[in-house]
PDB file of all heavy atoms in Angstrom:
ATOM      1  N   ILE B 214      -2.830 -59.617  -9.593  1.00 87.00           N
ATOM      2  CA  ILE B 214      -2.408 -59.576 -10.975  1.00 87.00           C
ATOM      3  C   ILE B 214      -0.885 -59.345 -11.030  1.00 87.00           C
ATOM      4  O   ILE B 214      -0.173 -59.894 -11.864  1.00 87.00           O
ATOM      5  CB  ILE B 214      -3.136 -58.486 -11.780  1.00 87.00           C
ATOM      6  CG1 ILE B 214      -4.635 -58.560 -11.564  1.00 87.00           C
ATOM      7  CG2 ILE B 214      -2.794 -58.514 -13.249  1.00 87.00           C
ATOM      8  CD1 ILE B 214      -5.302 -59.722 -12.192  1.00 87.00           C
ATOM      9  N   GLN B 215      -0.418 -58.504 -10.080  1.00 89.00           N
ATOM     10  CA  GLN B 215       1.039 -58.276  -9.989  1.00 89.00           C
ATOM     11  C   GLN B 215       1.803 -59.586  -9.906  1.00 89.00           C
ATOM     12  O   GLN B 215       2.777 -59.797 -10.611  1.00 89.00           O
ATOM     13  CB  GLN B 215       1.356 -57.455  -8.725  1.00 89.00           C
ATOM     14  CG  GLN B 215       1.240 -55.957  -8.906  1.00 89.00           C
ATOM     15  CD  GLN B 215       1.764 -55.196  -7.702  1.00 89.00           C
ATOM     16  OE1 GLN B 215       2.404 -55.813  -6.804  1.00 89.00           O
ATOM     17  NE2 GLN B 215       1.538 -53.929  -7.670  1.00 89.00           N
ATOM     18  N   ALA B 216       1.302 -60.468  -9.038  1.00 88.00           N
ATOM     19  CA  ALA B 216       1.976 -61.752  -8.838  1.00 88.00           C
ATOM     20  C   ALA B 216       2.026 -62.508 -10.165  1.00 88.00           C
ATOM     21  O   ALA B 216       3.071 -63.051 -10.532  1.00 88.00           O
ATOM     22  CB  ALA B 216       1.266 -62.545  -7.779  1.00 88.00           C
ATOM     23  N   GLN B 217       0.887 -62.555 -10.875  1.00 88.00           N
ATOM     24  CA  GLN B 217       0.834 -63.267 -12.164  1.00 88.00           C
ATOM     25  C   GLN B 217       1.865 -62.704 -13.117  1.00 88.00           C
ATOM     26  O   GLN B 217       2.627 -63.456 -13.766  1.00 88.00           O
ATOM     27  CB  GLN B 217      -0.534 -63.128 -12.809  1.00 88.00           C
ATOM     28  CG  GLN B 217      -1.640 -63.912 -12.164  1.00 88.00           C
ATOM     29  CD  GLN B 217      -2.961 -63.618 -12.845  1.00 88.00           C
ATOM     30  OE1 GLN B 217      -2.992 -63.078 -13.937  1.00 88.00           O
ATOM     31  NE2 GLN B 217      -4.045 -63.995 -12.179  1.00 88.00           N
ATOM     32  N   VAL B 218       1.870 -61.382 -13.218  1.00 90.00           N
ATOM     33  CA  VAL B 218       2.740 -60.752 -14.227  1.00 90.00           C
ATOM     34  C   VAL B 218       4.215 -60.955 -13.831  1.00 90.00           C
ATOM     35  O   VAL B 218       5.068 -61.264 -14.683  1.00 90.00           O
ATOM     36  CB  VAL B 218       2.367 -59.280 -14.414  1.00 90.00           C
ATOM     37  CG1 VAL B 218       3.381 -58.577 -15.282  1.00 90.00           C
ATOM     38  CG2 VAL B 218       0.980 -59.139 -14.970  1.00 90.00           C
ATOM     39  N   VAL B 219       4.501 -60.814 -12.548  1.00 91.00           N
ATOM     40  CA  VAL B 219       5.898 -60.983 -12.079  1.00 91.00           C
ATOM     41  C   VAL B 219       6.367 -62.420 -12.354  1.00 91.00           C
ATOM     42  O   VAL B 219       7.450 -62.638 -12.879  1.00 91.00           O
ATOM     43  CB  VAL B 219       6.038 -60.618 -10.604  1.00 91.00           C
ATOM     44  CG1 VAL B 219       7.359 -61.129 -10.055  1.00 91.00           C
ATOM     45  CG2 VAL B 219       5.950 -59.114 -10.406  1.00 91.00           C
ATOM     46  N   ASN B 220       5.482 -63.385 -12.059  1.00 91.00           N
ATOM     47  CA  ASN B 220       5.849 -64.768 -12.325  1.00 91.00           C
ATOM     48  C   ASN B 220       6.045 -64.986 -13.820  1.00 91.00           C
ATOM     49  O   ASN B 220       6.950 -65.770 -14.211  1.00 91.00           O
ATOM     50  CB  ASN B 220       4.763 -65.732 -11.808  1.00 91.00           C
ATOM     51  CG  ASN B 220       4.799 -65.766 -10.304  1.00 91.00           C
ATOM     52  OD1 ASN B 220       5.803 -65.456  -9.685  1.00 91.00           O
ATOM     53  ND2 ASN B 220       3.665 -66.117  -9.683  1.00 91.00           N
ATOM     54  N   MET B 221       5.225 -64.309 -14.634  1.00 92.00           N
ATOM     55  CA  MET B 221       5.378 -64.457 -16.081  1.00 92.00           C
ATOM     56  C   MET B 221       6.760 -63.913 -16.517  1.00 92.00           C
ATOM     57  O   MET B 221       7.416 -64.520 -17.377  1.00 92.00           O
ATOM     58  CB  MET B 221       4.262 -63.766 -16.797  1.00 92.00           C
ATOM     59  CG  MET B 221       4.213 -64.127 -18.238  1.00 92.00           C
ATOM     60  SD  MET B 221       2.856 -63.324 -19.019  1.00 92.00           S
ATOM     61  CE  MET B 221       3.427 -61.701 -19.003  1.00 92.00           C
ATOM     62  N   PHE B 222       7.137 -62.773 -15.923  1.00 92.00           N
ATOM     63  CA  PHE B 222       8.454 -62.231 -16.256  1.00 92.00           C
ATOM     64  C   PHE B 222       9.562 -63.267 -15.967  1.00 92.00           C
ATOM     65  O   PHE B 222      10.462 -63.434 -16.727  1.00 92.00           O
ATOM     66  CB  PHE B 222       8.710 -60.955 -15.429  1.00 92.00           C
ATOM     67  CG  PHE B 222       8.236 -59.686 -16.108  1.00 92.00           C
ATOM     68  CD1 PHE B 222       7.235 -58.922 -15.548  1.00 92.00           C
ATOM     69  CD2 PHE B 222       8.807 -59.279 -17.292  1.00 92.00           C
ATOM     70  CE1 PHE B 222       6.817 -57.766 -16.167  1.00 92.00           C
ATOM     71  CE2 PHE B 222       8.364 -58.097 -17.920  1.00 92.00           C
ATOM     72  CZ  PHE B 222       7.362 -57.364 -17.332  1.00 92.00           C
ATOM     73  N   GLU B 223       9.414 -63.934 -14.811  1.00 93.00           N
ATOM     74  CA  GLU B 223      10.412 -64.903 -14.433  1.00 93.00           C
ATOM     75  C   GLU B 223      10.428 -66.098 -15.413  1.00 93.00           C
ATOM     76  O   GLU B 223      11.485 -66.572 -15.826  1.00 93.00           O
ATOM     77  CB  GLU B 223      10.176 -65.385 -13.005  1.00 93.00           C
ATOM     78  CG  GLU B 223      10.474 -64.317 -11.986  1.00 93.00           C
ATOM     79  CD  GLU B 223      10.429 -64.827 -10.557  1.00 93.00           C
ATOM     80  OE1 GLU B 223       9.464 -65.593 -10.270  1.00 93.00           O
ATOM     81  OE2 GLU B 223      11.307 -64.507  -9.782  1.00 93.00           O
ATOM     82  N   ASP B 224       9.202 -66.587 -15.750  1.00 92.00           N
ATOM     83  CA  ASP B 224       9.116 -67.714 -16.673  1.00 92.00           C
ATOM     84  C   ASP B 224       9.750 -67.369 -18.020  1.00 92.00           C
ATOM     85  O   ASP B 224      10.470 -68.142 -18.627  1.00 92.00           O
ATOM     86  CB  ASP B 224       7.651 -68.108 -16.919  1.00 92.00           C
ATOM     87  CG  ASP B 224       7.022 -68.699 -15.660  1.00 92.00           C
ATOM     88  OD1 ASP B 224       7.782 -68.995 -14.761  1.00 92.00           O
ATOM     89  OD2 ASP B 224       5.791 -68.787 -15.606  1.00 92.00           O
ATOM     90  N   LEU B 225       9.447 -66.147 -18.479  1.00 92.00           N
ATOM     91  CA  LEU B 225       9.959 -65.729 -19.813  1.00 92.00           C
ATOM     92  C   LEU B 225      11.469 -65.646 -19.763  1.00 92.00           C
ATOM     93  O   LEU B 225      12.148 -65.998 -20.731  1.00 92.00           O
ATOM     94  CB  LEU B 225       9.388 -64.366 -20.184  1.00 92.00           C
ATOM     95  CG  LEU B 225       7.907 -64.363 -20.554  1.00 92.00           C
ATOM     96  CD1 LEU B 225       7.400 -62.945 -20.722  1.00 92.00           C
ATOM     97  CD2 LEU B 225       7.664 -65.156 -21.827  1.00 92.00           C
TER      98      LEU B 225
END
Side-chain angles (χ1 to χ4, degrees):
Chain B
I214 310 290
Q215 273 190 10
Q217 287 176 16
V218 173
V219 166
N220 289 337
M221 193 177 70
F222 271 116
E223 289 188 317
D224 293 346
L225 289 172

